[in-house]
Amino acid sequence: MHYFDSKESMLTVILRARDEDSRRRFAGGGDRLDYLLATIEHNSGEPGLVALYLSLGAAAVDEKHPAHEFFVGRLRRVRAEIVEYARSRGRAPRAPLTEEAAAQLTLAMIDGIQVQWLADSSIDMAQRIREGIDVLYTVDRGVQ
């Protein structure tokens, strides 16, 4: 604690490092969905970090929380990545959803399935996310 203003500041640094590690580890090959699914699959071996992310994220809705800016920036970045993924794969949000709405719902699905997984580890998070994406987006069979 000598190096940090608060426990929350220290935990924010841990989450930031986790994000950077995930990007280095999984973003090298494949598309953004591969990266998201690989991260989710990796998370299934890290229940403590998943719980930390979810609990700190909930606390960080307070604008005065040390992790607030981290989460706001992260959520914006991930939503933009989801939009870019969908476009690159020839997918469009099902009507009446906009790209931003579909990205928000995708991210909500990811966070929500992680909450459920913490309570019931038999849930296959990556499979539920694949299925959810198929529900939210149309599929252009000509684009791979």
Side-chain angles (χ1 to χ4, degrees):
M1 291 304 298
H2 174 73
Y3 299 101
F4 300 95
D5 296 337
S6 66
K7 179 175 100 174
E8 290 80 11
S9 295
M10 179 184 69
L11 295 174
T12 303
V13 169
I14 290 170
L15 288 179
R16 192 178 311 272
R18 173 190 168 267
D19 268 8
E20 290 170 9
D21 180 60
S22 290
R23 285 191 156 320
R24 279 192 303 276
R25 183 179 311 200
F26 301 120
D31 62 31
R32 282 167 183 76
L33 179 61
D34 293 336
Y35 163 72
L36 286 172
L37 293 174
T39 299
I40 293 298
E41 288 169 352
H42 177 75
N43 286 353
S44 67
E46 302 281 349
L49 280 176
V50 172
L52 171 63
Y53 169 81
L54 293 169
S55 62
L56 199 60
V61 298
D62 179 351
E63 292 179 0
K64 294 178 184 149
H65 192 280
H68 179 76
E69 290 304 316
F70 166 76
F71 277 95
V72 168
R74 183 182 191 283
L75 293 172
R76 283 185 185 136
R77 177 180 46 78
V78 173
R79 285 193 310 262
E81 289 174 354
I82 292 168
V83 167
E84 189 175 324
Y85 154 75
R87 287 177 182 165
S88 73
R89 301 293 284 183
R91 290 182 171 228
R94 293 191 190 273
L97 296 175
T98 64
E99 288 180 321
E100 180 64 16
Q104 289 169 347
L105 289 169
T106 301
L107 193 50
M109 175 181 54
I110 291 168
D111 287 348
I113 202 70
Q114 290 185 106
V115 169
Q116 293 180 52
W117 173 79
L118 284 172
D120 178 2
S121 64
S122 71
I123 293 171
D124 184 339
M125 292 187 289
Q127 182 60 33
R128 292 294 87 81
I129 291 164
R130 281 186 200 94
E131 293 165 352
I133 287 170
D134 287 342
V135 168
L136 291 171
Y137 295 90
T138 61
V139 178
D140 182 346
R141 301 287 180 203
V143 176
Q144 298 296 326

